[in-house]
Amino acid sequence: MAKTDVKVLGAWPSPFVMRPRIALNLKSVEYEFLEETFGSKSPLLLQSNPVYKKIPVLIHQDKPICESLIIVQYVDEVWASGPSLLPSDPYDQALARFWAAYIDDKQWFPSVRGIALPQGEEGKAELMVQVFEGLALLEDAFDKCSQGKAFFGGDKIGYVDIALGSFLGWLKATEKMNNVKLLDETKNPNLVGWAERFCSHDAVREVMPETDKLVEFAKMLRARFKAPAS
Amino acid sequence: MAEEVKVFGVWGSPFSCRVKIALKIKGIEYEYIEEDLQNKSSLLLKYNPVHKKIPVLLHNGKPIVESLLIIEYIDETWKDNPLLPQDPHERAQARFWAKFVDEKCLPSLWKACWAEEVERETAMGEAWKNLELFERELEGKRFFGGEAIGLVDIAAIRIAFWINVAQEAIGVEILNKEKFFILWNWIDELLGCSIIKENLPPREKLSAYYRTRAAAAKGSK
């Protein structure tokens, strides 16, 4: 195996871990993927991310970088000769960062994840409303960012594509487990088309977990949390 | 061509303060518009329809929102007196610590400030852990940004001034002077800069606000 000074610490089900992997793939950068064992944190992880103790961590030339979107920006800046992930215009850059922050910080994904957790019908209905509202905003954002092209980033996958696209696996798993349709061709035609293009892209395919595998994983998690404390 | 720069903010907000400081460091003239959060202007709702919040930076008619994103925009647009380092690893570190200030550090500091007697010890412990982590990043530097004020310093104005004023008004000591003497050196340096001083809200006004809140909290028991 080729020696590489780029390592990604992560786990296959995590959407956040997908992000640096997609970014590195887009830049054609070889890296070593170090899979964390579920339920425990390796000494390397604890040493590399003492503040949050979370994955993903990128280790480049023995220096750790943490927080998935910060890692993506780092990859973009270090391997600047590869295709750019962020737009060059400061305003478009700010817009891209805004939407990525919206996706992460503003309840959207937690709402998706919340639907999968056991709860009453009322709670679920409320979360679904939040998810749909978010999707409506993102459908609109796609129009503005893509300017008629294939991705939020234009012709190629960019920062917002990576931020949102990394959640598609879990979105599909949630749909399957709950027998609901969250991404709908009638309501979100832009996003449905985009999702297909994103998932079938070379840089994404190998790191996007299969829906069925995620469903299995979610069932395992649910069983674990239901199990009586020993 | 004349640049049109406007900032929508609120007098007591650390977030609009961040934007004002960044613009001042870059030497950019701007028009400041004070918002009433109980009665948000139609302009604010137009420029920030998603979050409906301040601050908003309006540059030649285009709105940018979220204070840390605004600072990055300012840094990309006006190149003098850089606020972020050039080196990608150092930039990543700056972004990491600025995010840490908002996502981990401040919530724990506020929790400790407002904690009831029963929870205070735990809350204080958590707050101190975060301050220790943060203080370590100073590493003998004058500012988090090195010799000059940078993104992390501007982000952490919330600690240097807001927590500082609040703890005094409420009567707690989260930012303990003996324990965090390195951080306090930085606070004194930062608040001693005229660019910072001129853009902070009046201390007495902010203190009165926290005193009122503290009294209301006690009264409601």
Side-chain angles (χ1 to χ4, degrees), chain B residues 6 13 16 47-48 77 95 101 114 145 162 172 196 217-218:
Chain B
K6 296 187 186 182
S13 163
S16 43
Y47 292 133
N48 193 356
T77 305
R95 287 177 177 134
V101 165
W114 297 110
W162 271 261
V172 289
I196 302 289
K218 279 209 184 89

Side-chain angles (χ1 to χ4, degrees), chain A residues 49-52 60 63-67 70 73-74 77-78 88-95 97-99 101-102 104-106 137, chain B residues 48 50-51 53 62-66 69 72-73 76-77 86-93 95-97 99-101 103-104 130 133:
Chain A
N49 191 355
V51 176
Y52 295 109
H60 182 213
K63 291 192 272 196
I65 299 99
C66 308
E67 299 289 285
I70 293 179
Q73 291 178 80
Y74 174 82
E77 288 169 11
V78 170
S88 48
D89 172 71
Y91 184 73
D92 293 335
Q93 242 183 55
L95 214 57
R97 289 199 176 105
F98 172 84
W99 285 114
Y102 172 81
D104 268 6
D105 303 341
K106 306 302 174 183
L137 273 177
Chain B
N48 193 356
V50 175
H51 303 305
K53 285 182 172 180
K62 293 199 214 168
I64 303 101
V65 307
E66 301 286 288
L69 300 189
E72 292 228 30
Y73 174 83
E76 283 295 314
T77 305
Q86 286 301 313
D87 171 69
H89 187 260
E90 287 174 39
R91 287 167 81 82
Q93 293 301 99
R95 287 177 177 134
F96 177 88
W97 289 107
K99 198 169 188 237
F100 172 82
V101 165
E103 291 191 356
K104 197 155 203 263
N130 288 325
L133 280 168

Side-chain angles (χ1 to χ4, degrees), chain B residues 169-187:
Chain B
I170 299 166
V172 289
E173 205 189 353
I174 320 293
L175 293 172
N176 182 289
K177 281 212 155 112
E178 281 85 46
K179 194 170 166 58
F180 297 109
F181 65 90
I182 296 173
L183 201 63
W184 270 101
N185 280 343
W186 164 76
I187 291 174

Side-chain angles (χ1 to χ4, degrees), chain A residues 189-209:
Chain A
N190 282 338
L191 290 178
V192 167
W194 163 80
E196 270 167 55
R197 289 189 295 272
F198 182 84
C199 292
S200 56
H201 193 284
D202 283 337
V204 174
R205 253 197 331 253
E206 55 140 13
V207 298
M208 176 73 79

Side-chain angles (χ1 to χ4, degrees), chain A residues 57-70:
Chain A
V57 179
L58 178 79
I59 302 179
H60 182 213
Q61 294 166 344
D62 293 322
K63 291 192 272 196
I65 299 99
C66 308
E67 299 289 285
S68 62
L69 292 179
I70 293 179

Side-chain angles (χ1 to χ4, degrees), chain A residues 131-180:
Chain A
V131 173
F132 288 135
E133 271 171 7
L135 285 173
L137 273 177
L138 290 164
E139 175 80 12
D140 203 51
F142 182 83
D143 246 336
K144 296 200 176 84
C145 295
S146 67
Q147 311 219 330
K149 307 240 175 94
F151 299 104
F152 284 89
D155 282 322
K156 5 179 207 83
I157 289 182
Y159 190 67
V160 182
D161 300 284
I162 295 173
L164 184 60
S166 53
F167 288 129
L168 284 170
W170 277 107
L171 193 85
K172 290 182 196 169
T174 304
E175 286 180 330
K176 196 158 191 180
M177 288 187 295
N178 294 275
N179 210 16
V180 293

